[in-house]
Amino acid sequence: MIPLRRTVVSIALALLTLCATLAGQQPAITYVVTPDLGAKSYHVSMSVRDVHNSPLDVRIPAWCPGWYVLTEYHKNIRRVSAKTTSGVRLEVAEAGDRVWRIENRGAAGVVVEYQVRGNDAGFGFFGSHLSERNGFINPASLCMYPTGRTQEPVAIRFDLPSGWNIATALDPGGRESEFVAQDYDELVDSPFELGYFKRVDFQAAGVPMFATFTYRGEMRPNADKIVSDLKLIAETQIAMFGGAPMKRYFWNIHLDTGSFGGGLEHRASTTLNVQNNADLDLRWLASHEFFHLWNVKRIRPKLLGPFDYTGPQRTGNLWFAEGVTSYYGDLTLYRSGMIDRDQWLRTITNQIETLQGSSDRLKYTAEEASRRAWEGGSQGYGNLSYYNKGFLMGLLLDLSIRTRTGGEKSLDDVMRHMMKKHNPPKPGYDEDGILVAINEVTGLDFTPLYTRLARTTEELPYGEVFTAAGLQYGSGEQGESGLTLVLANAQAYPRVQEVSPNSMAEVMGLQPGDFIVSVNGTDARGRVDPLAGIAAGTDVAISALRRSEKLSLAGTMGSRTYSGASLSLAPNPTPLQQRVLDGWLKR
């Protein structure tokens, strides 16, 4: 049930935004952004009307949605000043790391001006970037907000250099290069690409979409092939939910990894930082990010919208927000025909082998790893990745639901049910909301399985779930050459989670947080362990990324023992198993 007051307020805000736009009036909070190419910084003028508090506090977020790490956006903000709308200068003082206090002397209108350095590496990602030809803005890094006023309509306008273009998923406003947002949450979740870039417009399932490609020198990937893949991914996922939750979608593709190789989801867009390679394959990364349109942007824990930007927001359900998104991202590639059945089964066994290689799977539950994401680099905790374990939890829940309901229900039904219950302005789900939804959809009690998966450190019940679903599972300790590393699939490139002391990985110079780009010239994107299969004693050349630094490392493979896995269809399935397999593997 939706609290009536919250619903009325949300509808009123949406109508206020529309009416203000139609009438040519500005919302009470507006921004004007001017790139200063010489200083490589943005000048921001934020106008705040209807000020009722004295003094007035303005803030910059401590984090941005989708990345559960405390940021230092405040360190890039300079020359903060304020005045009344009539031009009277006001005193400004820092009232904390991310807070500026303005003595507004009872003035009802205040204009705050400041500079934001555009120093994010590459073409930008978590922050703001500015160069002679390009700009990128993650609004969380650039747009301050008055304390307590994040749920009001806002407008943002750009004064761009001659010849520059602009791309965003936001609705246009009533002026040139102006855009409006329902509230600050929508603004923060809507990045801007500025300057010179290649743009391709297309439709998927009747929804307008566009992809931008930002690059230096020559653009090497095949844009038509990439757009074709994006279209198929979008159509497959929209079909699963029976419709799209947005008016348009923006694929923002940076052909430079900068300080981060991967993707970040937004409310109606995604930013993908990848390399400018002729054989660029965005399918795995793009599929994961697009599924976030539903899972986490709309099907979300309560504290992930509306947002509190002042500090960590802890939930035990990031394994569902990210790991189950990884499950559906990869399943989409199978359902769409982009990968075959053998590739899909091998994807699963790769995930199993990765989890079984994590020593911390026996120390921390999936919920604990989720809550500690703020200390674990937004990937999990220790060497336990909630992307990895959550993928397998989603798989096991899906197969168990199909088996226990005789093939009548699946995790797909749970996702659609949660979308109906929690799509904004409806509130997000409680910490037990996923289990509640599974039980509501199936009419059965999944508490024992859910508890084991999410709240204990017991080994996942691969054998019993796979066998019941008509799959043959094999596992065992296998001797194989490889560096002593534990890797998590960081969406695009595998990310080093742990380097064992005195291992060859340590000798080579790999460190936790590095991204593996290639091994002996073979691209590592989408590979859970790109070092598997290399014999002991073999010389190895690794290309890696450490923040904005590109590394070339060399060494000789040592040996290791890891838990191998195999998965195949049972040769003589029962009628129930056949129904389960037919439903799960249907395209």
Side-chain angles (χ1 to χ4, degrees):
M1 179 177 289
I2 310 165
L4 179 61
R5 181 181 176 190
R6 182 171 186 170
T7 304
V8 171
V9 169
S10 299
I11 294 173
L13 288 175
L15 290 174
L16 178 59
T17 300
L18 176 62
C19 293
T21 301
L22 293 176
Q25 300 174 356
Q26 293 295 96
I29 302 172
T30 63
Y31 304 84
V32 177
V33 180
T34 305
D36 183 341
L37 301 187
K40 292 187 178 180
S41 65
Y42 293 95
H43 178 268
V44 182
S45 177
M46 178 179 69
S47 299
V48 184
R49 297 203 316 266
D50 304 328
V51 177
H52 302 296
N53 298 328
S54 184
L56 171 68
D57 285 350
V58 295
R59 299 173 175 268
I60 199 73
W63 63 288
C64 71
W67 185 241
Y68 310 105
V69 172
L70 290 178
T71 62
E72 296 185 333
Y73 294 143
H74 57 290
K75 292 186 176 180
N76 285 323
I77 295 177
R78 305 177 291 177
R79 301 174 186 170
V80 181
S81 64
K83 60 186 177 183
T84 67
T85 51
S86 61
V88 178
R89 285 286 171 184
L90 299 173
E91 182 181 343
V92 180
E94 293 188 23
D97 283 344
R98 301 175 175 88
V99 186
W100 290 262
R101 181 156 294 162
I102 300 167
E103 298 296 339
N104 55 314
R105 304 175 187 175
V110 173
V111 178
V112 184
E113 297 188 347
Y114 54 95
Q115 300 279 338
V116 178
R117 287 185 289 186
N119 59 357
D120 204 3
F123 291 119
F125 196 76
F126 294 119
S128 294
H129 168 81
L130 186 62
S131 63
E132 292 182 359
R133 291 181 54 84
N134 299 99
F136 171 79
I137 295 171
N138 181 337
S141 69
L142 181 128
C143 296
M144 292 186 185
Y145 65 94
T147 299
R149 298 183 64 174
T150 59
Q151 299 306 297
E152 298 181 31
V154 298
I156 184 168
R157 181 166 55 88
F158 292 85
D159 184 7
L160 297 176
S162 177
W164 275 38
N165 298 306
I166 186 168
T168 184
L170 285 176
D171 287 336
R175 305 181 186 182
E176 183 179 0
S177 298
E178 182 182 68
F179 303 89
V180 292
Q182 173 182 305
D183 51 32
Y184 184 79
D185 286 350
E186 184 181 22
L187 173 65
V188 162
D189 223 1
S190 305
F192 297 87
E193 189 65 33
L194 314 174
Y196 296 90
F197 47 79
K198 178 181 177 65
R199 173 169 171 154
V200 181
D201 290 83
F202 61 103
Q203 286 200 348
V207 179
M209 298 190 178
F210 56 99
T212 62
F213 299 85
T214 304
Y215 56 95
R216 296 183 181 87
E218 176 189 3
M219 178 177 161
R220 297 185 181 92
N222 184 325
D224 292 338
K225 173 62 169 64
I226 290 174
V227 167
S228 177
D229 290 342
L230 299 180
K231 176 181 172 68
L232 184 53
I233 287 166
E235 289 174 342
T236 302
Q237 294 185 8
I238 290 171
M240 172 183 157
F241 282 97
M246 73 297 177
K247 290 183 288 187
R248 67 185 69 85
Y249 193 81
F250 171 27
W251 303 88
N252 190 19
I253 302 168
H254 289 169
L255 298 176
D256 188 321
T257 52
S259 59
F260 183 86
L264 182 62
E265 72 274 8
H266 296 284
R267 187 177 295 198
S269 64
T270 183
T271 298
L272 310 178
N273 273 16
V274 292
Q275 292 206 319
N276 189 9
N277 294 333
D279 61 347
L280 178 63
D281 183 354
L282 281 179
R283 296 175 301 169
W284 303 85
L285 175 60
S287 187
H288 174 104
E289 299 304 338
F290 193 73
F291 198 81
H292 273 311
L293 265 177
W294 295 274
N295 197 24
V296 94
K297 289 303 169 189
R298 288 155 180 95
I299 304 169
R300 71 214 185 280
K302 273 186 177 177
L303 55 76
L304 294 184
F307 294 104
D308 178 351
Y309 299 99
T310 62
Q313 305 299 300
R314 298 186 189 276
T315 172
N317 292 318
L318 292 183
W319 66 265
F320 188 84
E322 291 292 353
V324 171
T325 294
S326 289
Y327 171 66
Y328 272 108
D330 292 358
L331 180 57
T332 294
L333 302 189
Y334 169 76
R335 286 177 169 174
S336 65
M338 290 182 168
I339 62 173
D340 60 27
R341 189 181 69 193
D342 288 343
Q343 289 173 299
W344 171 227
L345 295 180
R346 184 57 193 160
T347 297
I348 294 169
T349 57
N350 282 342
Q351 293 283 354
I352 293 172
E353 290 171 0
T354 296
L355 181 60
Q356 296 311 114
S358 165
S359 57
D360 285 339
R361 79 186 190 282
L362 304 175
K363 299 178 184 177
Y364 308 109
T365 69
E367 289 190 347
E368 288 173 329
S370 297
R371 293 190 191 96
R372 298 188 185 196
W374 298 86
E375 292 76 38
S378 196
Q379 296 287 314
Y381 191 69
N383 61 43
L384 176 61
S385 164
Y386 51 64
Y387 286 80
N388 171 219
K389 187 171 184 179
F391 176 107
L392 294 168
M393 292 165 67
L395 166 69
L396 297 177
L397 286 169
D398 193 11
L399 292 176
S400 296
I401 292 168
R402 292 175 186 273
T403 302
R404 292 188 61 188
T405 63
E408 295 298 319
K409 299 292 182 180
S410 70
L411 192 58
D412 293 12
D413 297 295
V414 175
M415 300 302 297
R416 289 188 286 262
H417 178 69
M418 294 183 75
M419 182 66 177
K420 291 178 181 178
K421 286 184 65 176
H422 303 295
N423 187 23
K426 299 174 184 177
Y429 56 82
D430 294 319
E431 287 298 284
D432 280 329
I434 301 163
L435 174 60
V436 169
I438 293 171
N439 290 348
E440 288 175 344
V441 167
T442 62
L444 302 170
D445 185 8
F446 271 79
T447 302
L449 175 62
Y450 185 91
T451 299
R452 178 173 178 178
L453 297 180
R455 295 170 177 165
T456 78
T457 57
E458 295 179 42
E459 297 284 22
L460 298 185
Y462 307 117
E464 59 192 79
V465 174
F466 289 153
T467 299
L471 294 165
Q472 286 191 147
Y473 171 67
S475 65
E477 294 296 315
Q478 301 182 18
E480 180 158 322
S481 300
L483 298 176
T484 310
L485 294 171
V486 177
L487 303 175
N489 187 349
Q491 304 174 36
Y493 297 107
R495 184 173 186 262
V496 178
Q497 297 292 305
E498 180 183 5
V499 179
S500 297
N502 303 315
S503 67
M504 287 306 301
E506 184 179 68
V507 172
M508 292 175 73
L510 282 166
Q511 298 178 8
D514 291 349
F515 290 91
I516 305 296
V517 176
S518 66
V519 177
N520 286 346
T522 300
D523 198 308
R525 285 170 296 172
R527 299 181 62 189
V528 177
D529 187 351
L531 304 168
I534 300 178
T538 303
D539 290 338
V540 176
I542 293 178
S543 175
L545 286 171
R546 180 175 302 153
R547 294 179 291 277
S548 59
E549 181 183 5
K550 297 181 180 180
L551 306 174
S552 295
L553 307 174
T556 303
M557 290 291 286
S559 61
R560 64 176 176 174
T561 299
Y562 79 104
S563 180
S566 63
L567 192 64
S568 61
L569 305 189
N572 297 300
T574 66
L576 171 59
Q577 289 173 333
Q578 193 62 59
R579 283 198 302 275
V580 170
L581 290 173
D582 288 346
W584 182 53
L585 296 173
K586 182 180 179 181
R587 285 179 159 166

